mmCIF file of all heavy atoms in Angstrom:
data_model
loop_
_atom_site.group_PDB
_atom_site.id
_atom_site.type_symbol
_atom_site.label_atom_id
_atom_site.label_comp_id
_atom_site.label_asym_id
_atom_site.label_seq_id
_atom_site.Cartn_x
_atom_site.Cartn_y
_atom_site.Cartn_z
ATOM 1 N N ILE A 292 121.566 153.708 181.947
ATOM 2 C CA ILE A 292 120.154 153.618 182.350
ATOM 3 C C ILE A 292 119.783 152.145 182.499
ATOM 4 O O ILE A 292 120.406 151.274 181.900
ATOM 5 C CB ILE A 292 119.202 154.285 181.325
ATOM 6 C CG1 ILE A 292 119.407 153.692 179.914
ATOM 7 C CG2 ILE A 292 119.326 155.789 181.332
ATOM 8 C CD1 ILE A 292 118.385 154.150 178.885
ATOM 9 N N TYR A 293 118.746 151.894 183.320
ATOM 10 C CA TYR A 293 118.181 150.555 183.425
ATOM 11 C C TYR A 293 116.960 150.476 182.512
ATOM 12 O O TYR A 293 116.114 151.372 182.522
ATOM 13 C CB TYR A 293 117.761 150.253 184.859
ATOM 14 C CG TYR A 293 118.893 150.053 185.824
ATOM 15 C CD1 TYR A 293 118.969 150.795 187.002
ATOM 16 C CD2 TYR A 293 119.889 149.111 185.584
ATOM 17 C CE1 TYR A 293 120.004 150.610 187.905
ATOM 18 C CE2 TYR A 293 120.939 148.930 186.478
ATOM 19 C CZ TYR A 293 120.984 149.678 187.626
ATOM 20 O OH TYR A 293 122.019 149.495 188.515
ATOM 21 N N VAL A 294 116.885 149.416 181.722
ATOM 22 C CA VAL A 294 115.741 149.211 180.833
ATOM 23 C C VAL A 294 115.224 147.781 181.017
ATOM 24 O O VAL A 294 115.999 146.830 180.922
ATOM 25 C CB VAL A 294 116.129 149.438 179.351
ATOM 26 C CG1 VAL A 294 114.908 149.248 178.448
ATOM 27 C CG2 VAL A 294 116.714 150.831 179.159
ATOM 28 N N THR A 295 113.922 147.652 181.292
ATOM 29 C CA THR A 295 113.297 146.334 181.410
ATOM 30 C C THR A 295 112.677 145.963 180.072
ATOM 31 O O THR A 295 111.828 146.698 179.549
ATOM 32 C CB THR A 295 112.227 146.321 182.516
ATOM 33 O OG1 THR A 295 112.823 146.727 183.752
ATOM 34 C CG2 THR A 295 111.648 144.927 182.683
ATOM 35 N N LEU A 296 113.132 144.836 179.504
ATOM 36 C CA LEU A 296 112.708 144.407 178.174
ATOM 37 C C LEU A 296 111.987 143.064 178.248
ATOM 38 O O LEU A 296 112.360 142.194 179.042
ATOM 39 C CB LEU A 296 113.911 144.285 177.243
ATOM 40 C CG LEU A 296 114.765 145.542 177.052
ATOM 41 C CD1 LEU A 296 116.022 145.206 176.255
ATOM 42 C CD2 LEU A 296 113.965 146.624 176.344
ATOM 43 N N SER A 297 110.977 142.903 177.390
ATOM 44 C CA SER A 297 110.244 141.633 177.298
ATOM 45 C C SER A 297 110.262 141.150 175.858
ATOM 46 O O SER A 297 110.072 141.932 174.926
ATOM 47 C CB SER A 297 108.792 141.809 177.749
ATOM 48 O OG SER A 297 108.729 142.148 179.114
ATOM 49 N N GLU A 298 110.499 139.843 175.706
ATOM 50 C CA GLU A 298 110.477 139.216 174.391
ATOM 51 C C GLU A 298 109.142 138.504 174.206
ATOM 52 O O GLU A 298 108.620 137.912 175.156
ATOM 53 C CB GLU A 298 111.630 138.219 174.291
ATOM 54 C CG GLU A 298 111.950 137.765 172.883
ATOM 55 C CD GLU A 298 113.227 136.935 172.843
ATOM 56 O OE1 GLU A 298 113.456 136.161 173.793
ATOM 57 O OE2 GLU A 298 113.979 137.068 171.888
ATOM 58 N N TYR A 299 108.569 138.558 173.006
ATOM 59 C CA TYR A 299 107.274 137.920 172.755
ATOM 60 C C TYR A 299 107.344 136.426 173.099
ATOM 61 O O TYR A 299 108.193 135.704 172.588
ATOM 62 C CB TYR A 299 106.870 138.107 171.288
ATOM 63 C CG TYR A 299 105.589 137.369 170.924
ATOM 64 C CD1 TYR A 299 104.366 137.788 171.435
ATOM 65 C CD2 TYR A 299 105.629 136.266 170.086
ATOM 66 C CE1 TYR A 299 103.187 137.111 171.113
ATOM 67 C CE2 TYR A 299 104.462 135.587 169.754
ATOM 68 C CZ TYR A 299 103.248 136.013 170.273
ATOM 69 O OH TYR A 299 102.084 135.344 169.955
ATOM 70 N N GLN A 300 106.442 136.012 173.994
ATOM 71 C CA GLN A 300 106.398 134.638 174.485
ATOM 72 C C GLN A 300 107.742 134.181 175.030
ATOM 73 O O GLN A 300 108.115 133.015 174.953
ATOM 74 C CB GLN A 300 105.922 133.671 173.384
ATOM 75 C CG GLN A 300 104.470 133.890 172.974
ATOM 76 C CD GLN A 300 103.986 132.864 171.981
ATOM 77 O OE1 GLN A 300 104.773 132.254 171.259
ATOM 78 N NE2 GLN A 300 102.683 132.660 171.932
ATOM 79 N N GLY A 301 108.470 135.138 175.588
ATOM 80 C CA GLY A 301 109.788 134.831 176.139
ATOM 81 C C GLY A 301 109.977 135.464 177.501
ATOM 82 O O GLY A 301 109.021 135.742 178.230
ATOM 83 N N ASP A 302 111.226 135.717 177.847
ATOM 84 C CA ASP A 302 111.568 136.224 179.173
ATOM 85 C C ASP A 302 111.451 137.739 179.264
ATOM 86 O O ASP A 302 111.377 138.444 178.253
ATOM 87 C CB ASP A 302 113.004 135.805 179.529
ATOM 88 C CG ASP A 302 113.153 134.293 179.617
ATOM 89 O OD1 ASP A 302 112.159 133.624 179.968
ATOM 90 O OD2 ASP A 302 114.249 133.790 179.306
ATOM 91 N N THR A 303 111.456 138.217 180.503
ATOM 92 C CA THR A 303 111.532 139.643 180.804
ATOM 93 C C THR A 303 112.737 139.855 181.704
ATOM 94 O O THR A 303 112.876 139.201 182.728
ATOM 95 C CB THR A 303 110.250 140.137 181.512
ATOM 96 O OG1 THR A 303 109.139 139.975 180.638
ATOM 97 C CG2 THR A 303 110.383 141.605 181.903
ATOM 98 N N GLU A 304 113.625 140.757 181.305
ATOM 99 C CA GLU A 304 114.827 141.027 182.093
ATOM 100 C C GLU A 304 115.151 142.516 182.078
ATOM 101 O O GLU A 304 114.777 143.237 181.146
ATOM 102 C CB GLU A 304 116.031 140.249 181.544
ATOM 103 C CG GLU A 304 115.961 138.749 181.741
ATOM 104 C CD GLU A 304 117.270 138.073 181.371
ATOM 105 O OE1 GLU A 304 118.309 138.472 181.944
ATOM 106 O OE2 GLU A 304 117.255 137.181 180.505
ATOM 107 N N THR A 305 115.848 142.953 183.098
ATOM 108 C CA THR A 305 116.319 144.332 183.171
ATOM 109 C C THR A 305 117.796 144.364 182.819
ATOM 110 O O THR A 305 118.596 143.621 183.393
ATOM 111 C CB THR A 305 116.100 144.924 184.578
ATOM 112 O OG1 THR A 305 114.696 144.931 184.859
ATOM 113 C CG2 THR A 305 116.622 146.363 184.645
ATOM 114 N N VAL A 306 118.148 145.230 181.867
ATOM 115 C CA VAL A 306 119.536 145.338 181.413
ATOM 116 C C VAL A 306 120.020 146.770 181.580
ATOM 117 O O VAL A 306 119.225 147.702 181.721
ATOM 118 C CB VAL A 306 119.683 144.905 179.939
ATOM 119 C CG1 VAL A 306 119.338 143.437 179.784
ATOM 120 C CG2 VAL A 306 118.795 145.753 179.031
ATOM 121 N N GLU A 307 121.325 146.941 181.557
ATOM 122 C CA GLU A 307 121.943 148.264 181.663
ATOM 123 C C GLU A 307 122.386 148.704 180.280
ATOM 124 O O GLU A 307 123.129 147.996 179.606
ATOM 125 C CB GLU A 307 123.137 148.197 182.610
ATOM 126 C CG GLU A 307 123.625 149.556 183.087
ATOM 127 C CD GLU A 307 124.753 149.425 184.090
ATOM 128 O OE1 GLU A 307 125.843 148.983 183.691
ATOM 129 O OE2 GLU A 307 124.522 149.740 185.266
ATOM 130 N N LEU A 308 121.892 149.883 179.845
ATOM 131 C CA LEU A 308 122.211 150.391 178.513
ATOM 132 C C LEU A 308 122.846 151.774 178.612
ATOM 133 O O LEU A 308 122.653 152.488 179.601
ATOM 134 C CB LEU A 308 120.944 150.492 177.659
ATOM 135 C CG LEU A 308 120.113 149.221 177.444
ATOM 136 C CD1 LEU A 308 118.945 149.526 176.498
ATOM 137 C CD2 LEU A 308 120.955 148.099 176.890
ATOM 138 N N PRO A 309 123.576 152.204 177.570
ATOM 139 C CA PRO A 309 124.101 153.579 177.541
ATOM 140 C C PRO A 309 122.945 154.589 177.549
ATOM 141 O O PRO A 309 121.912 154.372 176.915
ATOM 142 C CB PRO A 309 124.873 153.630 176.222
ATOM 143 C CG PRO A 309 125.201 152.217 175.900
ATOM 144 C CD PRO A 309 124.045 151.406 176.415
ATOM 145 N N SER A 310 123.109 155.686 178.263
ATOM 146 C CA SER A 310 122.038 156.674 178.410
ATOM 147 C C SER A 310 121.715 157.409 177.103
ATOM 148 O O SER A 310 120.708 158.104 177.022
ATOM 149 C CB SER A 310 122.405 157.704 179.480
ATOM 150 O OG SER A 310 123.603 158.379 179.132
ATOM 151 N N ILE A 311 122.550 157.249 176.060
ATOM 152 C CA ILE A 311 122.268 157.912 174.781
ATOM 153 C C ILE A 311 120.971 157.381 174.164
ATOM 154 O O ILE A 311 120.372 158.036 173.316
ATOM 155 C CB ILE A 311 123.425 157.736 173.769
ATOM 156 C CG1 ILE A 311 123.729 156.247 173.531
ATOM 157 C CG2 ILE A 311 124.653 158.484 174.217
ATOM 158 C CD1 ILE A 311 124.685 155.995 172.394
ATOM 159 N N TRP A 312 120.531 156.195 174.623
ATOM 160 C CA TRP A 312 119.299 155.611 174.073
ATOM 161 C C TRP A 312 118.061 156.019 174.864
ATOM 162 O O TRP A 312 116.953 155.637 174.513
ATOM 163 C CB TRP A 312 119.407 154.079 174.047
ATOM 164 C CG TRP A 312 120.532 153.581 173.216
ATOM 165 C CD1 TRP A 312 121.673 152.967 173.643
ATOM 166 C CD2 TRP A 312 120.651 153.662 171.786
ATOM 167 N NE1 TRP A 312 122.490 152.662 172.584
ATOM 168 C CE2 TRP A 312 121.882 153.076 171.431
ATOM 169 C CE3 TRP A 312 119.828 154.172 170.774
ATOM 170 C CZ2 TRP A 312 122.314 152.991 170.115
ATOM 171 C CZ3 TRP A 312 120.266 154.080 169.463
ATOM 172 C CH2 TRP A 312 121.485 153.505 169.137
ATOM 173 N N GLN A 313 118.241 156.806 175.927
ATOM 174 C CA GLN A 313 117.107 157.144 176.789
ATOM 175 C C GLN A 313 116.014 157.923 176.051
ATOM 176 O O GLN A 313 114.832 157.691 176.238
ATOM 177 C CB GLN A 313 117.588 157.960 177.995
ATOM 178 C CG GLN A 313 116.479 158.235 179.012
ATOM 179 C CD GLN A 313 117.042 158.780 180.312
ATOM 180 O OE1 GLN A 313 118.232 159.052 180.425
ATOM 181 N NE2 GLN A 313 116.205 158.953 181.306
ATOM 182 N N GLU A 314 116.427 158.842 175.190
ATOM 183 C CA GLU A 314 115.441 159.643 174.462
ATOM 184 C C GLU A 314 114.701 158.830 173.412
ATOM 185 O O GLU A 314 113.603 159.178 172.983
ATOM 186 C CB GLU A 314 116.134 160.822 173.775
ATOM 187 C CG GLU A 314 117.188 160.357 172.788
ATOM 188 C CD GLU A 314 117.494 161.403 171.739
ATOM 189 O OE1 GLU A 314 116.551 162.007 171.222
ATOM 190 O OE2 GLU A 314 118.674 161.588 171.441
ATOM 191 N N THR A 315 115.297 157.717 172.984
ATOM 192 C CA THR A 315 114.700 156.899 171.927
ATOM 193 C C THR A 315 113.596 155.996 172.455
ATOM 194 O O THR A 315 112.595 155.750 171.766
ATOM 195 C CB THR A 315 115.793 156.029 171.262
ATOM 196 O OG1 THR A 315 116.850 156.876 170.806
ATOM 197 C CG2 THR A 315 115.234 155.244 170.081
ATOM 198 N N LEU A 316 113.767 155.501 173.679
ATOM 199 C CA LEU A 316 112.883 154.478 174.218
ATOM 200 C C LEU A 316 111.697 155.059 174.971
ATOM 201 O O LEU A 316 111.866 155.897 175.860
ATOM 202 C CB LEU A 316 113.674 153.553 175.148
ATOM 203 C CG LEU A 316 114.846 152.801 174.492
ATOM 204 C CD1 LEU A 316 115.654 152.083 175.548
ATOM 205 C CD2 LEU A 316 114.340 151.833 173.426
ATOM 206 N N ILE A 317 110.504 154.609 174.612
ATOM 207 C CA ILE A 317 109.268 155.013 175.281
ATOM 208 C C ILE A 317 108.617 153.767 175.870
ATOM 209 O O ILE A 317 108.446 152.761 175.177
ATOM 210 C CB ILE A 317 108.294 155.702 174.306
ATOM 211 C CG1 ILE A 317 108.923 156.987 173.744
ATOM 212 C CG2 ILE A 317 106.967 156.025 174.987
ATOM 213 C CD1 ILE A 317 108.096 157.654 172.676
ATOM 214 N N VAL A 318 108.269 153.838 177.148
ATOM 215 C CA VAL A 318 107.646 152.699 177.826
ATOM 216 C C VAL A 318 106.318 152.355 177.148
ATOM 217 O O VAL A 318 105.521 153.233 176.826
ATOM 218 C CB VAL A 318 107.414 153.019 179.319
ATOM 219 C CG1 VAL A 318 106.626 151.899 179.995
ATOM 220 C CG2 VAL A 318 108.753 153.224 180.030
ATOM 221 N N GLY A 319 106.100 151.060 176.920
ATOM 222 C CA GLY A 319 104.844 150.611 176.329
ATOM 223 C C GLY A 319 104.901 150.420 174.825
ATOM 224 O O GLY A 319 103.860 150.240 174.192
ATOM 225 N N GLN A 320 106.117 150.471 174.248
ATOM 226 C CA GLN A 320 106.245 150.305 172.798
ATOM 227 C C GLN A 320 107.234 149.185 172.467
ATOM 228 O O GLN A 320 108.096 148.843 173.264
ATOM 229 C CB GLN A 320 106.714 151.608 172.144
ATOM 230 C CG GLN A 320 105.669 152.713 172.171
ATOM 231 C CD GLN A 320 106.029 153.876 171.269
ATOM 232 O OE1 GLN A 320 106.889 153.773 170.397
ATOM 233 N NE2 GLN A 320 105.370 154.993 171.460
#
Side-chain angles (χ1 to χ4, degrees):
I292 55 172
Y293 289 126
V294 181
T295 303
L296 302 172
S297 295
E298 195 172 37
Y299 175 69
Q300 293 185 336
D302 297 330
T303 297
E304 291 189 56
T305 298
V306 296
E307 196 176 68
L308 303 183
S310 60
I311 57 170
W312 300 111
Q313 186 168 6
E314 60 158 316
T315 305
L316 300 172
I317 298 174
V318 174
Q320 291 192 16

